[in-house]
Amino acid sequence: MLRIRWSLICPAHPPFGKKQLPSIPKNAVPITKAASPASSTESANGTHASYGPFYLEYSLLAEFTLVIKQRLPGIYVQPSYRSTLMWFGVIFIRHGLYQDGVFKFTVYIPDNFPDGDCPRVIFDTPVFHPLVDSVSGELDVRRAFTKWRRNHNHIWQVLMYARTIFYKINTMDPLNPEAVVLYDKDFQLFKSKVVDSVKLCNSHLFDQPKIDDPFAISFSPWNPAVHEEAKDKMFAYKRLHKDYNKGPLVSGLSWVKPGSTQPFSKEDIPLQT
Amino acid sequence: MSWLSRLNPRGPGTRTGRHAAPTSPCTADPETCLMVFENHWRQVSRVLKQRESSVGGYADDLTAVRNHTDQMLCLLAEERPAGGDIDSPVGPILKMVVAENILDELVQWHVRRGLDPDSQLELLKLFEMLIGQSHQPLLLHSAVLQPLLNLLGACVDPQLGSPPALESSLVLLLNQVCVCMAKETAVLELIFRCGLVQQGPTNLLIFSLLVPFIHRDGSLGQQARDALLLVMATSASNHSVARHIAENSYFCPVLATGLSALYSSLPRKIEVRGDDWHALRREDWMAVSSLVLFMNSLEFCNAVVQVAHPLVRCQLLDYLHNGFLVPVMGPALHKSSVDEMIASTAYLDLFLRSITETSLLKTFLRFILLHRHDNDTILDTLLTRISSNSRLCMVSLSLFKTLLSLNCEDLMLQLVLRYLLPCTHVMLSQRRAVRETDLYGKSADKFLSLIPECCRITPAPSSERDDEPAFWGKVLGSPTSESPVHPRPSTPSRLALFIRQQSSGGQAIPPSSGSENAPSSPRGSVSSPLSPDSPVHQLPDTSEGETGYLEYLRDARKGIELCSWACRDWSAPYDGENPSPNSAPPPPPPPTSHPSLNMVQEHFSIMDRPQQRGAVVAAARAEWSSSDRDSGEWDVTISKNCISLTPRSKKRSLLSSSIPLQSSSSASVSTEMTGAVETVSQHSHSAPHTALYNGMGQVELTDSVDEKMEVKKVKRDSDVNNSMVESGMNGSMGIGSVDYNDFHVGSTMKSSQVQVKPHLQHQTSVPTSTQECLESESQRLSPVPALTETSTVPCDSRGPESVERLIEELLERAPSEPLTGDSKCQGISIEAFHQELRELEERVRERRVLSRSSEESSREYRTAPTPSLTDEDCLPVEIEQRSSETKPESYATGVFSPARPLGPPLAQPYTGPFITVLFSKLESMMQNSLYVNILLTGVVFQLACYPQPLLRSFLLNTNMVFQPSVKSLIQVLGSVKNRIEAFAATHEDFPAMLRKARRFLVARGKLDWSDSPIGVPTLRRSDSLIKSRKPSLGDLILRHTNSPTRARHAAQLALAHVRDGGQSLHSALFRGGAAGGASGLEKQAEALRVKNAVYCAVIFSEFLKELAALAQEHSVALPFPPSQGAEE
């Protein structure tokens, strides 16, 4: 729930500061428009070409729904406004080597999802980490998802994985050899590099989002005028739809005692029949 | 609270001027007023005192007193409370009235002198004026209240009575008193105490005076009800008053039994033209006075339940249940004539739609779900009606739509969920899949793939465009052309979908359709997480399917959200684990006690021309063999305790060896099963069934199933599978109690039971007296004799002895009637017949097997040990046992014990009568009328909105593998698809007809939209509107209360029509007159058949889109958290 609300609020933030937009990492995937209907249909679901876009869209929506249901600790994502194939995210690391790190990232989902490769995760600022490319900021996702298997692999697992790497350091087959060398040989230096990296990331926290998108996640310093109300709303939030309060009948009826499967087993007011 | 808010404004102001009150001296200062008042009082008291000395009355006296009293009371009414003095803000006049007890003296004088109606009326009016207009809370003073009660007491006096002329004044006065009471709660207490002192505790005066008017019509009844309601609301927090009302007044019994009386005066037959009528709308009943009366009283009950003290509420509900529902509604719903069934069902539907109070609704639902009338619950009875002929079917479908829209757990439990709870309908290995959603649109894709090729419509050539829709209407006898009086379609607004359907296509729409997009805008408000640039939004003007589909997605989302919000406080998620399949009590067995359920629809149909029949039978056969059920050759596998039907020629040995393990364990062994065994059963099963049902790769299936189970991947070619099975068998499952008998039913039992019986006897060693045996088994197996009759009694051999009885029989025991042989529904009748035979056989065998195994396996559980049971005796015994047998504990210990066969006696998986009847109705979509199909698909749509995984997976997950005997929605739809395609192939002009049908529906949908924007009718229609409708519907809904001849006549017509081969009773009634000879009728029947088929093709395609949209939306729906504690 919290995540959804988060994502609802974020886009509303007025961008703070007028800093220069950082350049997009060199080999970041260019933002493509959503897959053209033709290509996605072929790959995805075959028979009914005209409905193809719906399948892709709904597959991604379903994945997003799964993410929400998982309630991943410290991870927030939000699909882009322009394409559901691109999700913005942020991870909060709460303990361990990377404690206090706040890492923004972007998830790129192949347009032939779920039949293609695994999604890519690219950190906005390359975190100093054995599995993160020091230049592009790309996380080595493939090692965990060698072959993307529909039904078995889900995007929430990728997000979970992106979080796990900061708690359990794996030095096998690194994308950042320097980090591994330090980790093995000079742990203190590694640690200080990590601390620097966390600081660096956090210092860019209030930067404009790297990708200009209404739904991109942007941070701003606490401003009671803006945030207090949003926060209150968040905590008081009830997922109610105005439609639902119309008729008293829509409220749903149940007189079944929990644990029972007998109708009218929850008898509060005795009715002598 | 609409009631109360409606009441409050009715204050003093509304009636000013009605009283010819003397020009008010209120502008004068208080002191002058007091002087005038005193002056009047002096005059009056002189007369009063005179009377004390002398006896006998003079008219002069009376007139004088009246005139003075008028003046005095006006002064009193106009007096304003004294300002300044806060402790006693009483005006001087009132002070004097209280001090000298003036009013009491006045009333006493009147009473003493003998209260004639005239002065009684006068006094009532005076008091009413006084109370209504006074600026001071007069009733708080017993000097006012007491005389008032005395006056009222005189009214209640049986000798004086309250003549009709007084009634309105009396009720008005009481109403005023109640309004005061609502304003000043203390008044209630006062009245209550005064009442106790005066009349003793048995009588709360106001009540006993008002109660007789509860059920009056017109404004009088309304005022009385308003007044009573005010008392109810005021006394809601006053326990002693509430107790008094409940214990000492007749309020509740009068209210409830009054409903019964009013119900009995309702029309027993609802006669409405138009094929599409299926439910009473407000404008329908507003013109029928008896119904208006009833609805007013029902509305009042609803309001009382809403505001009254719990004590009163409970009592009222109790009386409603026992005094109205059980003795009146119950029998009414079980009336034997079709007309009465239609009427009572429509009434019940109307009542349910009108009730808003939860506890009142609960009372109704209790009655429907639990009350048994002649051994059947009301629900059972109503269910059977769905399968009946079209008008009754439509009304019943409409009722179930209403019921489904309540989102009531108890109802859904009884209707569907309890049958799905044990999870016996799915393969054991598929249990986990119950909770899976259709992540990648596979199910949606499957549904969409069932849209017949012939229905993927191409734009019409321009030449065809202009003749619509009138031409279409004429040609195919469209409903609009038949019902000039009733131009507005009453079909569900779902029909409006067709507007969208076409609006995107562009070409098929006349240019005037610019406003078409407007209707969808109110629905467009559903917040969509889709970003505007996403593919969905970007859809260019592609084929018409897609834009229409987007609307379906919206509707589906709305439906699901609404439903899951409404279900958020249910006691369990119904996801296959909670409630646990093992703990669920066994659902009732298949509907052997309801032969009509299974059979009415297939057999209750219309005689057809022989020549047609031949062709159709052939078609049906072909269709049967080509349907999803594969070759029609089935293997029946019998082991000690389970029977399985499996398609023949597919890995037979494999199947026969594995199925027993599978199904016998599926009920409750799941936890004990080892991984290996699961793998075995899973593989052995998924192979044939995926191929058979879904045509999907096996990889999907196995992948999707046991994600968390650490089962090794196994190559899936059959060799490996075989060996796996064998090793599984020999290794972990070496329980040598499996004892199969393979034999095939299927194609061998083509049409008569005679062929089947030997099989039965031979294979399962049923004693030679199968028939007797079955008959002895109470009514459970009653279809058997019925079936026998079907095959032996020659067609048309019986004349219509008693028409009503015949109709009744048609409905109740359709199969036994020769009249119903085959016909309109021939397409399925043969298939259905086979199916029934097969099911019957299975049941018989199951019983046999069950009884044997239960005898062996559980002697210790036997309550009535019968060691020397004959075979015949076993049957009934077993049934009683079943409930105790299925307890998991009793069974778990014995799972791997070689001494016992596997598992408890298992019921054949059965998905319940509701699903059964809906599916069989769906299967006959081609023969259903347009409106039946619209309602039917609407009900299924609504059912599929429910988010409970058990239900959702059963209906919408096309990847699920069900037990072979369980029919899935996709199978049913597949067979409809085949039939539509077969039909299209034999009709050259199908595309043209289809276009016309679409255009007709679009036009109709528009009409629907324009007439009822969002569908909520205004609460109270203006009288002019009601009047304007009177000639149309008021005349049409006729009373047949005491007209057996008319009823008989109608029934005869209906029966004649049934013979003639038309589908809809009314279309024949209103159109059939013109047609002369047999050939005309035949032609008509054929036209009707074509019409139904073409409309069906349109509806079917749209329905598939709806289902696909539902499947997709379910995968992205988020559950709602339960609301905390509070109801709302």
Side-chain angles (χ1 to χ4, degrees), chain B residues 869-930:
Chain B
L869 274 180
T870 64
D871 280 327
E872 287 94 330
D873 293 334
C874 296
L875 291 171
V877 173
E878 174 273 323
I879 291 155
E880 279 149 33
Q881 277 184 343
R882 190 183 294 162
S883 58
S884 64
E885 289 293 327
T886 27
K887 292 229 169 104
E889 311 84 40
S890 70
Y891 160 67
T893 50
V895 176
F896 294 112
S897 135
R900 283 186 184 178
L902 253 188
L906 252 190
Q908 186 76 15
Y910 171 54
T911 50
F914 190 51
I915 296 288
T916 307
V917 76
L918 285 183
F919 278 12
S920 75
K921 206 75 191 167
L922 276 178
E923 254 178 341
S924 65
M925 264 186 93
M926 283 277 278
Q927 288 80 35
N928 294 343
S929 78
L930 167 64

Side-chain angles (χ1 to χ4, degrees), chain B residues 248-295:
Chain B
N248 299 326
S249 86
Y250 293 114
F251 177 70
C252 293
V254 166
L255 193 47
T257 52
L259 275 187
S260 295
L262 291 176
Y263 185 91
S264 65
S265 69
L266 293 184
R268 301 230 174 129
K269 175 177 175 153
I270 301 175
E271 214 174 79
V272 185
R273 281 177 220 211
D275 280 350
D276 55 349
W277 183 85
H278 62 275
L280 285 165
R281 295 168 301 167
R282 188 168 191 93
E283 52 264 47
D284 288 345
W285 61 261
M286 283 307 277
V288 184
S289 58
S290 57
L291 203 44
V292 171
L293 255 180
F294 184 92
M295 290 307 287

Side-chain angles (χ1 to χ4, degrees), chain A residues 50 58 81 244 254-255 264 272, chain B residues 318 409-410 531-532 546 1113:
Chain A
S50 57
Y58 271 77
Y81 175 81
Y244 302 151
S254 170
W255 297 280
F264 304 107
Q272 313 104 30
Chain B
D318 212 15
E409 180 175 8
D410 309 61
S531 59
E546 288 188 24
E1113 285 295 342

Side-chain angles (χ1 to χ4, degrees), chain B residues 767-778 784 872 875:
Chain B
T768 42
S769 54
T770 317
Q771 196 78 26
E772 291 163 29
C773 174
L774 290 170
E775 275 162 357
S776 72
E777 198 202 337
S778 72
V784 167
E872 287 94 330
L875 291 171

Side-chain angles (χ1 to χ4, degrees), chain B residues 693-981:
Chain B
Y693 297 155
N694 301 329
M696 302 243 173
Q698 217 179 323
V699 191
E700 246 74 42
L701 251 176
T702 28
D703 273 3
S704 67
V705 180
D706 294 323
E707 190 178 328
K708 291 170 198 160
M709 275 184 45
E710 310 272 56
V711 179
K712 268 192 189 166
K713 285 265 169 215
V714 181
K715 282 244 174 89
R716 285 171 208 87
D717 48 287
S718 55
D719 295 4
V720 181
N721 241 343
N722 265 327
S723 62
M724 276 298 294
V725 170
E726 269 155 33
S727 68
M729 286 298 301
N730 301 334
S732 53
M733 297 297 286
I735 309 155
S737 64
V738 204
D739 165 24
Y740 331 102
N741 288 323
D742 287 2
F743 75 100
H744 357 284
V745 205
S747 52
T748 52
M749 45 173 231
K750 264 290 175 268
S751 57
S752 85
Q753 205 190 0
V754 191
Q755 284 173 298
V756 177
K757 265 195 233 158
H759 270 292
L760 274 172
Q761 288 161 7
H762 174 62
Q763 295 291 346
T764 62
S765 61
V766 172
T768 42
S769 54
T770 317
Q771 196 78 26
E772 291 163 29
C773 174
L774 290 170
E775 275 162 357
S776 72
E777 198 202 337
S778 72
Q779 80 273 52
R780 282 175 185 281
L781 287 173
S782 57
V784 167
L787 285 171
T788 323
E789 238 182 318
T790 315
S791 55
T792 53
V793 180
C795 286
D796 288 331
S797 67
R798 284 195 205 168
E801 315 130 0
S802 155
V803 177
E804 283 198 57
R805 199 184 63 82
L806 272 179
I807 289 192
E808 179 185 349
E809 277 186 24
L810 281 177
L811 287 162
E812 296 299 326
R813 301 179 34 94
S816 68
E817 279 302 326
L819 283 170
T820 63
D822 64 355
S823 59
K824 289 303 300 167
C825 305
Q826 322 89 333
I828 39 156
S829 58
I830 289 185
E831 174 186 333
F833 187 58
H834 282 229
Q835 182 70 25
E836 280 159 25
L837 280 179
R838 195 173 296 119
E839 281 168 9
L840 184 64
E841 261 186 313
E842 279 170 30
R843 262 179 250 129
V844 173
R845 243 175 289 128
E846 184 192 19
R847 293 252 150 69
R848 299 272 321 131
V849 172
L850 286 175
S851 62
R852 255 200 254 147
S853 68
S854 61
E855 201 176 307
E856 284 170 22
S857 66
S858 56
R859 289 242 156 87
E860 64 268 37
Y861 295 105
R862 276 250 159 108
T863 44
T866 46
S868 60
L869 274 180
T870 64
D871 280 327
E872 287 94 330
D873 293 334
C874 296
L875 291 171
V877 173
E878 174 273 323
I879 291 155
E880 279 149 33
Q881 277 184 343
R882 190 183 294 162
S883 58
S884 64
E885 289 293 327
T886 27
K887 292 229 169 104
E889 311 84 40
S890 70
Y891 160 67
T893 50
V895 176
F896 294 112
S897 135
R900 283 186 184 178
L902 253 188
L906 252 190
Q908 186 76 15
Y910 171 54
T911 50
F914 190 51
I915 296 288
T916 307
V917 76
L918 285 183
F919 278 12
S920 75
K921 206 75 191 167
L922 276 178
E923 254 178 341
S924 65
M925 264 186 93
M926 283 277 278
Q927 288 80 35
N928 294 343
S929 78
L930 167 64
Y931 305 109
V932 167
N933 279 336
I934 288 176
L935 283 165
L936 177 68
T937 54
V939 167
V940 177
F941 176 87
Q942 200 152 5
L943 199 58
C945 281
Y946 277 87
Q948 286 70 27
L950 272 177
L951 189 50
R952 190 196 62 209
S953 66
F954 176 67
L955 291 173
L956 294 176
N957 188 343
T958 54
N959 295 329
M960 289 281 274
V961 183
F962 297 132
Q963 295 289 352
S965 63
V966 173
K967 210 179 255 183
S968 70
L969 179 59
I970 204 82
Q971 275 176 297
V972 171
L973 296 174
S975 74
V976 176
K977 175 197 188 229
N978 289 338
R979 268 173 229 162
I980 291 175
E981 282 176 344

Side-chain angles (χ1 to χ4, degrees), chain B residues 115 117 120 124 152-164 166 170 209:
Chain B
L115 201 55
Q120 196 180 354
L124 288 173
L152 292 176
C155 292
V156 97
D157 187 328
Q159 287 197 323
L160 288 168
S162 51
L166 290 187
L170 178 62
L209 283 173

Side-chain angles (χ1 to χ4, degrees), chain A residues 4 33-34 45 47-48 50-51 53-55 57-59 61-63 65-66 68-69 80-82 113-114 150-154 239-240 243-245 248-256 258 261-264 267-269 271-273, chain B residues 314 318 321-322 355 358 361-362 366 369-370 407-410 413-414 421 439-442 445 448-449 456 530-532 534-536 539 546 549 553 561-562 565-566 568 570-571 585 700 703 1105 1112-1113 1115-1120 1128:
Chain A
I4 271 239
K33 272 285 187 182
N45 283 291
T47 41
H48 299 287
S50 57
Y51 293 96
F54 292 104
Y55 295 144
E57 186 90 6
Y58 271 77
S59 297
L61 269 177
E63 288 285 345
T65 311
L66 282 183
I68 291 169
K69 284 181 183 161
S80 136
Y81 175 81
R82 303 216 154 72
F113 184 86
R150 52 156 57 204
N151 285 313
H152 278 254
N153 296 136
H154 297 293
R239 196 167 160 237
L240 291 180
D243 288 355
Y244 302 151
N245 289 327
L249 285 193
V250 205
S251 65
L253 306 166
S254 170
W255 297 280
V256 179
T261 53
Q262 291 304 310
F264 304 107
E267 196 68 82
D268 40 6
I269 306 158
L271 270 177
Q272 313 104 30
T273 44
Chain B
C314 281
D318 212 15
H321 186 270
N322 296 326
I355 294 170
T358 313
L361 209 49
K362 180 184 178 184
R366 259 185 96 94
L369 297 187
L370 299 184
N407 300 308
C408 171
E409 180 175 8
D410 309 61
L413 197 56
Q414 292 297 91
L421 267 178
L439 276 184
Y440 309 118
K442 273 280 167 205
D445 195 53
L448 292 171
S449 75
R456 296 171 201 271
L530 302 182
S531 59
S534 67
V536 173
L539 286 179
E546 288 188 24
Y549 191 62
L553 285 170
E561 275 199 358
L562 220 78
W565 187 83
R568 72 200 189 284
W570 280 23
S571 73
E700 246 74 42
D703 273 3
K1105 287 183 204 165
Q1112 292 206 290
E1113 285 295 342
S1115 68
V1116 301
L1118 273 175
F1120 285 90
E1128 270 296 294

Side-chain angles (χ1 to χ4, degrees), chain B residues 1050-1088:
Chain B
Q1052 254 161 351
L1053 273 178
L1055 193 67
H1057 160 69
V1058 162
R1059 289 220 193 88
D1060 291 341
Q1063 166 79 6
S1064 150
L1065 196 147
H1066 280 261
S1067 62
L1069 281 182
F1070 295 108
R1071 282 185 313 128
S1079 68
L1081 282 175
E1082 217 166 279
K1083 240 184 229 164
Q1084 265 190 357
E1086 173 63 13
L1088 192 63

